[in-house]
Amino acid sequence: MLKKLLKYEFKATARTYGGMYLALLAASVLFGGSVWRWNSTNSDAYSTLVGLLSLVYTAVIIGTVVVTIMTIVQRFYRNLLGREGYLMHTLPVTETQLVTSKLISSTVWSLCSILAACLSFGILAVLMMADMDLLGQLPLMWSIIREAFARYNMEFWGALAFSGVVGFVRMVSVIACIYAACMVGHQFKNHPALAGILSFFVMQYVQGWLEKLLQIGTGVYETAIYSAVGDVGSIETTVSALGYMGSAMVTLGIAVAFGVFWFGLTVWLMRNKLNLE
């Protein structure tokens, strides 16, 4: 049944996200093309166009973030706590399956939004450098990449990969916290949306405070990464000396614990305190 819920969820959100990604890629193509044309002609007319398209591209990037967050909230609240909830909660599924389907869908679309943004940056960079004879520059670019891999040891790349895992878990934890905040706000008959927003910020504040309290090495490992990126030559001694991986494990454990807690709180409130509109 979870597969059917996921199929329905992706089908219901595909148009929103698909249109948004197309707009993002189109904006990057137009902006990058205008910059390339401006560099080729040095025309004042293209200078004005570049300025306008840069604003458009920035607005689309911001809009992508806003739409992603708003869709996460709206799909959960309207589908499970609004009028649609009368149908959803009569299905032969558990509250855990309902929340899990929302969490998986939101996580996948959030990752897609990040990838779409990265792709748009790549398109923008290629178009801006279109007049630099990219094919001729490929050997130089490849040699730079090989040199970078040679100078950074495996410990660094392992730490970098683990940072991605920690970032992913934190993202899932935040989405679960959004759902928990929606359920807490739903308990208030007056101004549930405001209560949900305040609940989210309070939850995140408490989580952040506990992270600082429990994770002694948080500041240390973040300093290690920033120092390593800023000073390539010191990467081997910096990362290993400050014990990045051990501290990152603590960060990961805290993120997992809070994510599980927010998920459990959401399911418990939905099971025991549900009050549909």
Side-chain angles (χ1 to χ4, degrees):
M1 194 62 184
L2 179 60
K3 291 182 179 180
K4 293 183 179 179
L5 288 174
L6 286 172
K7 181 179 179 180
Y8 167 77
E9 191 65 24
F10 282 115
K11 184 177 180 181
T13 53
R15 288 186 178 181
T16 299
Y17 285 105
M20 181 176 65
Y21 298 153
L22 288 176
L24 178 60
L25 297 179
S28 65
V29 170
L30 292 174
F31 181 36
S34 66
V35 173
W36 170 76
R37 188 62 179 173
W38 179 45
N39 291 332
S40 301
T41 62
N42 292 320
S43 172
D44 292 337
Y46 279 104
S47 176
T48 303
L49 181 62
V50 167
L52 291 175
L53 289 177
S54 67
L55 294 177
V56 172
Y57 181 71
T58 302
V60 175
I61 286 289
I62 296 174
T64 300
V65 177
V66 173
V67 170
T68 300
I69 296 174
M70 292 302 299
T71 302
I72 290 173
V73 176
Q74 290 180 355
R75 285 299 305 169
F76 181 84
Y77 199 91
R78 291 182 179 179
N79 197 231
L80 297 181
L81 304 180
R83 294 182 178 179
E84 295 180 17
Y86 287 102
L87 173 62
M88 295 300 296
H89 290 286
T90 58
L91 297 176
V93 294
T94 63
E95 290 81 4
T96 301
Q97 289 175 319
L98 289 173
V99 178
T100 300
S101 66
K102 299 296 182 185
L103 184 61
I104 293 176
S105 173
S106 296
T107 299
V108 170
W109 285 123
S110 296
L111 288 175
C112 288
S113 296
I114 295 174
L115 292 176
C118 292
L119 179 59
S120 73
F121 294 148
I123 292 174
L124 195 61
V126 169
L127 290 175
M128 286 182 174
M129 296 186 298
D131 58 341
M132 299 181 183
D133 188 15
L134 287 179
L135 291 178
Q137 296 294 328
L138 286 178
L140 176 61
M141 295 170 61
W142 176 245
S143 65
I144 294 174
I145 293 174
R146 290 183 61 183
E147 182 181 357
F149 271 92
R151 297 184 68 180
Y152 290 112
N153 62 5
M154 290 303 297
E155 186 177 0
F156 169 78
W157 293 113
L160 190 63
F162 200 78
S163 296
V165 174
V166 173
F168 172 77
V169 174
R170 280 181 167 177
M171 180 184 70
V172 176
S173 179
V174 170
I175 295 174
C177 185
I178 291 175
Y179 293 161
C182 287
M183 289 304 306
V184 172
H186 186 66
Q187 306 307 310
F188 295 84
K189 295 182 179 180
N190 297 323
H191 309 294
L194 179 60
I197 294 173
L198 293 176
S199 299
F200 174 77
F201 284 108
V202 170
M203 291 174 177
Q204 287 296 295
Y205 174 80
V206 172
Q207 179 174 346
W209 179 77
L210 288 176
E211 283 184 5
K212 292 180 180 179
L213 181 64
L214 298 176
Q215 188 194 13
I216 300 175
T218 299
V220 174
Y221 90 77
E222 289 180 351
T223 302
I225 288 299
Y226 293 138
S227 299
V229 173
D231 184 5
V232 176
S234 64
I235 183 61
E236 295 185 9
T237 57
T238 303
V239 175
S240 58
L242 295 177
Y244 165 73
M245 293 299 290
S247 186
M249 285 293 292
V250 177
T251 302
L252 179 63
I254 293 173
V256 170
F258 274 104
V260 172
F261 176 76
W262 300 136
F263 182 87
L265 178 62
T266 303
V267 172
W268 185 86
L269 288 174
M270 187 175 294
R271 183 177 298 159
N272 299 282
K273 303 291 183 179
L274 185 64
N275 183 21
L276 295 178
E277 298 177 356

